[in-house]
Amino acid sequence: MVKNLAKGCVSFLFFVIVSYSGIGQTTQINRSEERLYREALELFEKEKYASAQHLFEEYLSAVGSKNTMQKGNAEFYKAMCGVHLENRDAEREVRSFVMHYPENQKVNYANFALGNLYYKQKKYADAVYWYGRVETNALGFNDKCECFFKRGLSYYYINKKDLAAQSFAAIKDVDNKYSSPATYYYSQIAYEEKNYATALKGFTVLLNDESFGPIAPYYIVQIYYIQRNYEKVIEQGPKLLESSTQSRSAEISRLIGESYYRLKMYPEALPYINRYADEAKNITREDSYLIGFINFKANNHKKAVESFERIVSGDDSLSQNAYYHLAYSQMQLDAKQKALQAFGMASKMSFDKDIQEDALFNFAKLTFELNYNPFNEAITAFNSYIEKYPNSPRVDDAYEYLMIAYTNTKNYKAALESLQKIKKQDVKTKSAIQRVAYYRGLEQFQNLNFKDAIASFDLSLENSSYNHTLGALTKYWKGESFYRLEDYDSAQRLYGEFLLAAGAFDQSEYKLAHYGLGYSAFKQKKYDESMVWFRKYTSFQEVPSKPALADAYNRIADILFFERKYWLAIENYDKAYALNASDPDYALYQRSFALGLVDRPERKIESMNTFLQKYPKSPLVDDALFEIGRTYTQIEQFDKAEETFQKLVDKNKGSNYYIKALVELGLINVNKNDDDKALEYYKRVVEDFPGTNEAKNSLLAIKEIYVDKNDVDSYFTYAQKLGKDVSLGMAEKDSLMYSASERAYLANDCAKAIPGFKKYIATFPNGDFLLNSYFYLADCQERSGNLGDAATAYKYVSEMPKNQFSEVSLKKYANISFGLKNYKEALAAYEKLEVNAENKSTLLEARVGMMRSANEEKLLQQAADGATKLLSTEKASAELLREAHYVKAKSLYGLGDLDGASAEFAQIATNVRTKEGAEAKFMKIQISYQQKKLDAVEKEVFEFADMNTPFQYWIGKSFLILGRLYMDKNDAFQAKATIQSVLDGYSVKDDGVVDEANKLLKEIEEIEKAKQNVQQAPVEVIQK
């Protein structure tokens, strides 16, 4: 702008000197008044306005009320002095003159002066008013030009540009000092009003002007650009850029760059558009798109990506185009994962239908190629494409990809749901259903959902004609599911169908089916049939499972043992023992025991001692000691027998063999004729284990010893001391009352048995059948659903001295307490059961119960310890080991041991097809994020996605962490694309994942808005 060219002062010459030719007036003004006027006028002409104003005031005071032309002139000059001095009352003085002397010839100049005053004060509306009162033709040439220019500029400032243009037009083509600025403003107005031809003509005139020559080329280049005369832009633009200021170079670079682009000269456009990107202070989304697109066209994809990612924040055509081209750039940079996300975002916008279609197809195809299906995206995308674009030339390709995706998918749950929605199912569809349903069944089997697994296997079998091998395997695993449900008859039938099915023979499951058939018959006590299948399994030269082979030999041996074919049993126990793969301690113990049954006592003892040496921690150690002692007794080596039983007694009072060993020690001493020592052992049994059969039999043995010693009184004294009524009547009553309840119990009539046992217990609190009564009462109460009462009774039995019901009662009490959610009581019971477990299965059950009870009670350290014990327990199934790692990991996490927790989660995170494995994988990601291992987080999330877990909740949660990670890295594009993928692909809407995703997306959008506080200018969207 050239506002400084308008001086804002009165520039005309006040040359009118009062003529003294008017002699008639001289008579009216005395000489002193005349002198004052002339002196004032001289001072005014010398620009001594303060002194002049003072004399004019004296003059006017001297003249008084005389009304003369000279007086009016004096008022005019006095007002002009105020204007020059910029007095506060100058405006009032001028207005007063105009009002009081309207006919004075100087009024025109007064209007002009007042216009200039308002112009100088930037009161442009007032200036326009007073300039409008000026008769421009009455002004001198220079003043006339000044008036037109200042009036035009005042009109311009009050936005009356048409009137401004008229004023400028009056002087722009006339040679005067205002012609150049008038031409500039006239051209500027034409430019603003989009009269580009007029503007171009005006600015061209100014090219050689000293003041406006430097600025005119900027307008000229812009006008050429607007007129799409891109050849002129690239002709004149570079020269202009060389001489441009830093503030203007960015914009000129943009015009040149885009002009080259419009002419499809992309390499030439590149340096200019990138210079603009580097120099511009505020780059709009539209600018970023232009920069990105030119770099895209020039194959500078890295720079293109940077620009496109800055603008994909809105839901508009610009964002869709940016996502679309961003995807292709990422493909060129081999960043296919990011390309996938960008295609996905572009495909969800419908501003450009062609782009939407192409983006959807490429999203689906790339998802398929990357095998990236955390939410079954490939199948969903191809289905969507086929549905939306049934007439597309690529629909056949989409269908082919879809069928392959169904065949290859590992997200079986979602795939199966999708396949079942297809109304017209052809061969390919049904073949895909067979495969997907089979693997879905395996997933459910792994997660112990056996009934659901059977339903999936049935669906697969409905389509089994397409893949015979898969059909055969489906029968096998359906049989396994029935076996786990203890439906052994159905399991046996399915195993048999599998063996006869086409394609079964070459599968590893073929041999295992024989093993399964053996166990199915064994569980139904069909031992002859079981033997046949186990023998067939052991006859294979190679078997898929060495532990299963050892176990099969043990079962064969057990059947032979049951059939009293002891030598054959020993032979098979030896085979199981030699494999050292499954229960070798059991095999050696049973072999040793069987040697005693074939009258090889010395070999039995020798074998049992070998067992004790090799397996000192086996739960069968007490059994072995007891058998050694019994064998020594049988061969009448009483000292060695006594020594062995004493070891058992000294070893563990809680052992189930403790009481039996005491009885045996009593019997040995009877045989050694040491009645006093025998009495000592028998009395320990009677006194320490009241209510047990051993106590009852020991009391009879005591009676016999006293009778043999002819000391019946001592027996009665001892019996009375015990509180026993040894009279025949009471003993008979005791027995009869118990027998009646026992008969009802054995007849499964718990309704009669329960009150009977309760009455017996109340009548005979120290009765001979107290133990049995409590146990049978507990069993009936459990079967009747009175679990609380049953638990109380079982607990009583378990707290009695060691007896034949101790272990089972303790187990029952623990299990019922756990089922009733009395986890604290259950934990104590399981801990006691662990100590007193007599076999591996009980030990395993105890440790499982300990871990689960502590976990439910939130006793984290105890839960972790219980899990550690379970992990070291023999014969723990894969499912239990998985659960143990899971509980231990969760407990360590709760205790703040992140490294320990991560290590445990890693043990099961490799199999995300189980619910524990999927959560474990997520927890590893969560821990890495907490530990700021951001690269590890990103790697593990994508690894998790590739594993195709059926547990979408955890994959969804993992992607939310990934989105948060990208936010931490200030990568809004990746964050938004990641969260959007969750919102688009996650099917469950009420488990919190979608809510959290929406919350995160809102955060991202707020961050983007905060970063984009720049003016958005409309721009034409450039197409591919």
Side-chain angles (χ1 to χ4, degrees):
M1 303 302 175
V2 198
K3 292 184 279 188
N4 60 336
L5 295 178
K7 299 294 185 180
C9 63
V10 180
S11 61
F12 59 86
L13 299 175
F14 293 94
F15 57 88
V16 182
I17 301 174
V18 178
S19 171
Y20 292 95
S21 61
I23 304 299
Q25 292 184 10
T26 307
T27 59
Q28 299 176 15
I29 302 174
N30 62 41
R31 294 190 179 277
S32 60
E33 293 170 348
E34 179 66 20
R35 182 179 53 78
L36 281 172
Y37 181 82
R38 289 180 63 189
E39 289 178 0
L41 191 59
E42 288 176 3
L43 290 171
F44 183 88
E45 290 173 350
K46 294 178 180 178
E47 299 183 2
K48 295 181 179 180
Y49 301 118
S51 298
Q53 188 179 42
H54 179 68
L55 289 181
F56 280 127
E57 287 174 349
E58 284 188 21
Y59 168 78
L60 290 170
S61 177
V63 171
S65 61
K66 297 176 184 178
N67 187 12
T68 67
M69 183 180 294
Q70 189 165 289
K71 179 182 178 183
N73 291 343
E75 289 284 1
F76 170 74
Y77 287 124
K78 186 184 81 163
M80 291 303 101
C81 287
V83 171
H84 284 292
L85 293 171
E86 298 184 18
N87 292 338
R88 291 183 179 178
D89 62 350
E91 178 184 347
R92 181 180 56 79
E93 291 284 346
V94 176
R95 283 179 177 272
S96 177
F97 166 73
V98 172
M99 183 177 66
H100 288 98
Y101 302 97
E103 301 301 326
N104 191 292
Q105 63 180 353
K106 291 183 172 52
V107 166
N108 198 46
Y109 282 100
N111 290 334
F112 181 44
L114 196 55
N116 283 345
L117 178 63
Y118 283 125
Y119 178 85
K120 186 174 183 180
Q121 294 175 348
K122 298 182 180 180
K123 297 179 180 179
Y124 299 114
D126 291 331
V128 162
Y129 173 77
W130 289 105
Y131 285 137
R133 295 172 66 90
V134 174
E135 290 289 339
T136 53
N137 289 329
L139 297 176
F141 177 74
N142 291 335
D143 290 336
K144 179 180 179 180
C145 291
E146 180 182 359
C147 184
F148 273 117
F149 177 75
K150 290 183 178 179
R151 183 172 65 183
L153 206 53
S154 296
Y155 273 129
Y156 183 84
Y157 287 140
I158 63 174
N159 204 32
K160 292 186 177 181
K161 296 180 181 178
D162 54 338
L163 296 175
Q166 292 175 19
S167 293
F168 292 134
I171 59 172
K172 72 180 182 68
D173 297 324
V174 180
D175 186 17
N176 67 88
K177 73 174 186 177
Y178 294 107
S179 60
S180 290
T183 300
Y184 171 80
Y185 280 106
Y186 182 80
S187 302
Q188 172 73 21
I189 292 170
Y191 178 85
E192 292 175 6
E193 297 295 323
K194 300 183 180 181
N195 296 320
Y196 297 119
T198 300
L200 180 62
K201 181 179 178 181
F203 286 124
T204 303
V205 170
L206 294 172
L207 280 174
N208 296 318
D209 186 85
E210 182 179 353
S211 298
F212 297 97
I215 196 171
Y218 292 103
Y219 285 97
I220 292 171
V221 170
Q222 287 180 336
I223 291 170
Y224 282 141
Y225 173 80
I226 293 168
Q227 292 178 331
R228 301 192 178 187
N229 192 346
Y230 302 120
E231 290 83 354
K232 283 288 187 181
V233 175
I234 64 175
E235 176 187 330
Q236 298 187 20
K239 297 177 184 178
L240 177 62
L241 184 60
E242 291 176 5
S243 61
S244 66
T245 62
Q246 185 175 358
S247 61
R248 295 185 182 275
S249 65
E251 180 61 20
I252 297 170
S253 297
R254 187 186 73 82
L255 295 176
I256 299 170
E258 188 174 344
S259 295
Y260 272 120
Y261 158 74
R262 297 289 182 178
L263 296 171
K264 301 186 184 301
M265 300 170 70
Y266 306 119
E268 290 81 358
L270 200 60
Y272 293 103
I273 203 65
N274 285 342
R275 178 173 176 177
Y276 169 69
D278 295 337
E279 293 182 0
K281 292 182 179 179
N282 294 318
I283 296 179
T284 65
R285 291 177 67 234
E286 292 75 14
D287 292 336
S288 291
Y289 179 82
L290 177 65
I291 295 164
F293 194 84
I294 291 174
N295 278 276
F296 173 83
K297 282 294 187 178
N299 294 320
N300 187 9
H301 295 289
K302 185 176 181 181
K303 186 75 173 180
V305 166
E306 292 175 4
S307 297
F308 287 137
E309 285 186 347
R310 281 197 292 266
I311 59 175
V312 287
S313 58
D315 184 17
D316 53 22
S317 177
L318 194 64
S319 290
Q320 185 186 24
N321 273 269
Y323 274 125
Y324 181 69
H325 292 99
L326 172 61
Y328 274 106
S329 285
Q330 295 286 23
M331 288 288 288
Q332 293 300 317
L333 295 172
D334 200 32
K336 293 184 178 180
Q337 192 67 48
K338 293 182 178 180
L340 176 73
Q341 294 173 333
F343 276 132
M345 296 298 288
S347 72
K348 291 170 180 62
M349 299 179 180
S350 57
F351 302 99
D352 187 309
K353 300 297 184 182
D354 292 336
I355 284 180
Q356 184 179 29
E357 177 185 345
D358 189 63
L360 180 58
F361 185 84
N362 279 287
F363 172 76
K365 183 180 176 183
L366 196 52
T367 300
F368 173 82
E369 291 173 354
L370 291 174
N371 195 26
Y372 176 79
N373 287 282
F375 305 112
N376 227 37
E377 286 92 338
I379 289 173
T380 302
F382 280 125
N383 270 325
S384 178
Y385 186 86
I386 292 167
E387 181 181 346
K388 287 183 177 180
Y389 309 108
N391 298 320
S392 168
R394 291 190 290 190
V395 73
D396 289 338
D397 292 337
Y399 188 75
E400 287 296 324
Y401 277 121
L402 178 62
M403 288 301 102
I404 298 172
Y406 277 131
T407 304
N408 294 340
T409 184
K410 293 181 181 178
N411 192 340
Y412 306 116
K413 180 176 182 291
L416 192 58
E417 291 172 354
S418 178
L419 279 166
Q420 290 178 299
K421 291 177 183 177
I422 299 175
K423 294 180 180 179
K424 295 182 179 180
Q425 296 181 349
D426 58 11
V427 172
K428 290 183 178 179
T429 304
K430 291 180 179 180
S431 177
I433 289 175
Q434 179 191 8
R435 178 187 178 278
V436 173
Y438 168 72
Y439 284 107
R440 176 59 180 153
L442 289 183
E443 273 184 352
Q444 292 164 322
F445 182 91
Q446 279 190 316
N447 286 283
L448 312 183
N449 300 324
F450 302 117
K451 290 183 179 179
D452 292 337
I454 290 170
S456 295
F457 291 138
D458 283 339
L459 180 59
S460 181
L461 288 171
E462 289 175 11
N463 300 275
S464 60
S465 60
Y466 303 101
N467 186 321
H468 295 301
T469 300
L470 206 60
L473 287 171
T474 305
K475 292 179 179 179
Y476 173 81
W477 287 105
K478 184 179 177 183
E480 282 286 297
S481 299
F482 276 124
Y483 185 87
R484 298 297 184 96
L485 292 171
E486 299 182 3
D487 185 350
Y488 303 118
D489 188 57
S490 295
Q492 196 170 4
R493 175 175 54 80
L494 265 298
Y495 288 138
E497 289 180 11
F498 165 71
L499 291 179
L500 297 175
F505 183 77
D506 295 327
Q507 307 305 310
S508 60
E509 288 86 352
Y510 182 81
K511 296 173 182 177
L512 286 174
H514 292 76
Y515 179 73
L517 281 164
Y519 254 113
S520 296
F522 187 85
K523 292 290 186 178
Q524 297 177 81
K525 298 183 180 181
K526 301 175 181 178
Y527 297 123
D528 290 342
E529 191 175 343
S530 176
M531 173 78 78
V532 170
W533 290 112
F534 279 132
R535 283 195 181 280
K536 285 184 177 181
Y537 182 71
T538 59
S539 67
F540 289 116
Q541 289 186 348
E542 294 182 4
V543 292
S545 172
K546 189 176 177 182
L549 179 62
D551 187 65
Y553 278 125
N554 272 331
R555 296 295 81 78
I556 292 170
D558 287 343
I559 295 170
L560 292 168
F561 185 94
F562 177 76
E563 294 175 346
R564 299 186 180 184
K565 298 175 182 179
Y566 300 121
W567 282 114
L568 290 175
I570 291 170
E571 179 183 338
N572 282 278
Y573 283 132
D574 283 342
K575 290 178 180 178
Y577 172 66
L579 287 169
N580 194 31
S582 177
D583 292 336
D585 56 335
Y586 172 81
L588 182 55
Y589 173 81
Q590 286 293 106
R591 172 202 191 267
S592 305
F593 192 92
L595 284 169
L597 297 176
V598 292
D599 198 22
R600 298 293 187 275
E602 290 82 3
R603 287 184 62 187
K604 174 184 177 180
I605 293 171
E606 179 185 359
S607 186
M608 286 291 184
N609 281 323
T610 300
F611 168 86
L612 293 173
Q613 291 172 1
K614 295 200 71 171
Y615 304 105
K617 294 184 178 181
S618 170
L620 296 171
V621 165
D622 290 350
D623 301 70
L625 282 171
F626 185 77
E627 286 301 319
I628 291 171
R630 282 187 59 211
T631 306
Y632 278 129
T633 301
Q634 290 170 3
I635 60 177
E636 298 184 354
Q637 293 186 23
F638 298 121
D639 291 338
K640 288 185 177 182
E642 186 173 12
E643 179 184 351
T644 302
F645 285 126
Q646 192 62 50
K647 284 181 183 178
L648 190 55
V649 169
D650 295 340
K651 176 177 175 286
N652 182 10
K653 187 175 181 179
S655 170
N656 195 40
Y657 286 99
Y658 180 82
I659 185 174
K660 295 179 180 179
L662 288 176
V663 173
E664 291 291 336
L665 285 168
L667 180 60
I668 289 170
N669 282 282
V670 167
N671 290 329
K672 292 171 65 176
N673 296 317
D674 189 345
D675 291 340
D676 291 337
K677 200 168 184 181
L679 284 171
E680 178 185 338
Y681 286 117
Y682 285 135
K683 286 180 179 181
R684 284 173 66 180
V685 174
V686 172
E687 294 168 13
D688 292 347
F689 302 96
T692 63
N693 287 331
E694 287 82 357
K696 182 179 178 182
N697 292 331
S698 293
L699 187 59
L700 290 174
I702 291 170
K703 179 181 177 182
E704 291 179 4
I705 292 173
Y706 278 121
V707 170
D708 288 344
K709 293 175 66 175
N710 197 22
D711 188 7
V712 178
D713 291 337
S714 294
Y715 167 72
F716 283 116
T717 301
Y718 179 71
Q720 290 171 354
K721 177 183 175 184
L722 294 174
K724 296 286 185 180
D725 189 337
V726 295
S727 66
L728 181 61
M730 287 304 294
E732 187 176 7
K733 184 178 181 182
D734 180 319
S735 178
L736 288 173
M737 184 177 290
Y738 168 76
S739 296
S741 301
E742 184 184 47
R743 280 196 297 272
Y745 172 78
L746 295 175
N748 291 320
D749 189 354
C750 285
K752 288 184 179 179
I754 289 174
F757 285 129
K758 285 183 176 179
K759 184 176 180 181
Y760 174 84
I761 291 167
T763 306
F764 299 101
N766 296 311
D768 290 335
F769 304 100
L770 189 65
L771 175 65
N772 292 51
S773 296
Y774 264 109
F775 181 77
Y776 295 152
L777 173 63
D779 184 45
C780 266
Q781 287 172 325
E782 181 184 8
R783 283 190 275 162
S784 301
N786 302 320
L787 299 181
D789 292 339
T792 300
Y794 280 131
K795 183 180 181 183
Y796 181 88
V797 176
S798 70
E799 291 177 344
M800 292 179 72
K802 191 74 174 182
N803 56 78
Q804 71 266 33
F805 301 124
S806 292
E807 183 177 289
V808 66
S809 296
L810 190 55
K811 188 187 302 184
K812 290 276 191 179
Y813 169 60
N815 290 342
I816 291 173
S817 296
F818 186 89
L820 294 173
K821 299 184 179 181
N822 298 324
Y823 301 120
K824 189 174 181 180
E825 291 82 354
L827 177 59
Y830 284 124
E831 288 175 338
K832 185 177 179 182
L833 182 63
E834 181 198 23
V835 173
N836 294 283
E838 296 176 5
N839 54 62
K840 292 179 181 180
S841 61
T842 302
L843 179 65
L844 178 63
E845 187 173 352
R847 289 178 174 173
V848 171
M850 286 166 58
M851 177 189 74
R852 289 176 177 171
S853 299
N855 187 49
E856 293 289 350
E857 196 67 13
K858 309 300 181 188
L859 301 172
L860 301 180
Q861 190 59 58
Q862 286 178 263
D865 293 342
T868 300
K869 286 185 176 181
L870 179 56
L871 289 169
S872 65
T873 305
E874 288 185 50
K875 304 200 84 171
S877 67
E879 293 84 2
L880 286 176
L881 293 175
R882 183 172 68 230
E883 182 184 354
H885 282 299
Y886 172 80
V887 170
K888 184 175 181 180
K890 292 281 280 187
S891 299
L892 292 175
Y893 182 81
L895 292 167
D897 183 0
L898 299 186
D899 289 333
S902 184
E904 285 299 320
F905 282 129
Q907 295 292 321
I908 55 175
T910 55
N911 183 7
V912 298
R913 313 208 74 73
T914 67
K915 58 184 178 181
E916 297 90 353
E919 185 179 353
K921 189 66 174 177
F922 165 77
M923 289 303 298
K924 281 188 88 266
I925 293 167
Q926 172 74 28
I927 291 169
S928 293
Y929 183 74
Q930 288 178 247
Q931 295 178 328
K932 307 297 183 184
K933 298 176 181 178
L934 303 187
D935 291 339
V937 171
E938 189 170 13
K939 178 183 176 183
E940 290 220 41
V941 170
F942 288 125
E943 183 181 277
F944 194 8
D946 289 340
M947 297 168 82
N948 291 300
T949 179
F951 298 96
Q952 297 293 283
Y953 177 80
W954 298 116
I955 194 71
K957 294 282 285 184
S958 297
F959 271 86
L960 293 180
I961 289 180
L962 183 61
R964 180 70 70 180
L965 178 146
Y966 287 136
M967 290 175 67
D968 295 342
K969 288 184 172 182
N970 294 318
D971 190 343
F973 164 73
Q974 283 293 94
K976 187 173 183 179
T978 300
I979 300 305
Q980 191 64 53
S981 72
V982 176
L983 291 172
D984 294 335
Y986 195 77
S987 58
V988 182
K989 306 303 180 185
D990 58 357
D991 62 1
V993 171
V994 171
D995 292 338
E996 188 177 350
N998 278 318
K999 182 180 178 183
L1000 277 175
L1001 188 61
K1002 187 176 180 181
E1003 287 183 37
I1004 296 168
E1005 290 172 346
E1006 288 174 354
I1007 291 171
E1008 288 179 331
K1009 287 178 182 177
K1011 288 182 177 179
Q1012 291 179 356
N1013 289 328
V1014 295
Q1015 185 176 359
Q1016 302 290 307
V1019 72
E1020 177 187 357
V1021 176
I1022 309 163
Q1023 299 295 341
K1024 183 178 177 182

